Amino acid sequence: MSESNEITNIMVVGTGGQGVMTAAEILAEAAIDMGYDVKKTEVAGMAQRGGVVTSHVRFGPRVISPVITAGSADIVLAFEAAEGLRWSGHLRAGGVVMVNTLELVPPVVSSGVFDYPVDAIDEIRNAGVKVYDFDAGSIAKELGNLRLVNTIMLGAIADYLPFDAEVLKKRIVERFRARKPELAELNERAFEAGRAAARAAAGIEASA
C-alpha cells in the first residue's frame, strides 16, 4: 500500500476483449465489500478493436481522486506483456508487476506508430522492478475455457491485497452464480490456479 499505508492503488491493464474492465470492476466490488471507500476509472482506446485498456482502482479509508499517479501504484496487473512494461513506470518503489506472458500486437503497433518490445518482461525486470510472470492463457486452456484469463489474473494478486483472498474469490463466484451458475465452480478453480501460478512465479524469482 502507499500514501501513508492507507490507500491501495492497483492498475489493471491489457487490450480490448481481455476482460480488463470486468476484472477491475470485480476488484472494486470486493474492496467495497470490505468497507473501503473506492474510486475507479478507465481509459479504453479502441477497446472493441484490440486497443489498449487501462483501469485504475484505488481503495482505502477515504479516496479523493480515482487516478493513480506515476510512482504510486502498488500493483500493475497486466493482462498483456507490453502493457505491463508500458505501465511499470507507474509503480511505487517496492511495487509489483503481475503479468500474463501473452503478447498481443495493438493497432498502434500494426499501424507502424510504435514498435513492439523485443522482450517486454525482461525489460521490466532489467529496470529493477519486481515482476512475476506466468502464462495465464495456458492455464485457462488447461481448465477448458480461454475466457477464464481475467479470473486467473485476479487470483494472481489475491495474496497481495490488504484483505483476505477469500473476499475476492467470493465476489467472483457469487457474480457467476447470479449470471452464469454453470461457470461458478470453474471460475473458483481458475482463481486458485492463478493464485498458485503467482506464488510459483514469486518462488522462481526469489530463488534466481
Side-chain angles (χ1 to χ4, degrees):
M1 292 184 285
S2 57
E3 296 188 15
S4 304
N5 290 329
E6 291 185 344
I7 298 176
T8 300
N9 297 315
I10 301 175
M11 298 193 68
V12 188
V13 304
T15 63
Q18 288 191 289
V20 168
M21 287 192 284
T22 299
E25 182 179 318
I26 293 171
L27 182 59
E29 290 173 353
I32 290 170
D33 289 343
M34 289 299 298
Y36 289 114
D37 183 26
V38 180
K39 296 287 187 300
K40 181 171 73 70
T41 187
E42 286 99 12
V43 176
M46 296 188 297
Q48 299 303 319
R49 299 184 218 170
V52 297
V53 181
T54 306
S55 183
H56 298 212
V57 181
R58 308 188 73 215
F59 55 89
R62 183 167 181 262
V63 181
I64 297 174
S65 168
V67 177
I68 298 172
T69 56
S72 63
D74 299 287
I75 301 171
V76 172
L77 181 63
F79 284 43
E80 197 274 338
E83 287 305 295
L85 171 62
R86 192 158 75 94
W87 291 104
S88 60
H90 258 57
L91 281 176
R92 65 167 173 78
V96 176
V97 177
M98 192 70 70
V99 59
N100 180 12
T101 55
L102 175 70
E103 296 183 353
L104 292 173
V105 178
V108 290
V109 172
S110 57
S111 64
V113 177
F114 294 106
D115 293 327
Y116 195 91
V118 175
D119 192 327
I121 294 171
D122 262 6
E123 284 193 44
I124 302 171
R125 191 166 281 122
N126 291 339
V129 173
K130 188 182 295 183
V131 53
Y132 301 147
D133 60 298
F134 60 92
D135 187 348
S138 290
I139 297 171
K141 190 175 181 180
E142 288 174 8
L143 290 170
N145 189 330
L146 291 174
R147 295 177 68 85
L148 293 169
V149 166
N150 57 355
T151 297
I152 292 166
M153 295 304 292
L154 284 173
I157 61 165
D159 290 334
Y160 296 85
L161 300 174
F163 53 81
D164 196 296
E166 293 299 316
V167 175
L168 181 57
K169 183 167 75 174
K170 181 181 177 184
R171 170 55 60 182
I172 293 168
V173 172
E174 287 184 348
R175 184 183 180 100
F176 276 94
R177 280 186 180 143
R179 303 180 184 190
K180 297 180 179 178
E182 71 279 9
L183 296 179
E185 184 180 344
L186 182 58
N187 274 270
E188 185 172 5
R189 289 167 52 202
F191 181 89
E192 292 298 345
R195 198 175 176 190
R199 287 175 175 174
I204 291 170
E205 184 80 7
S207 62

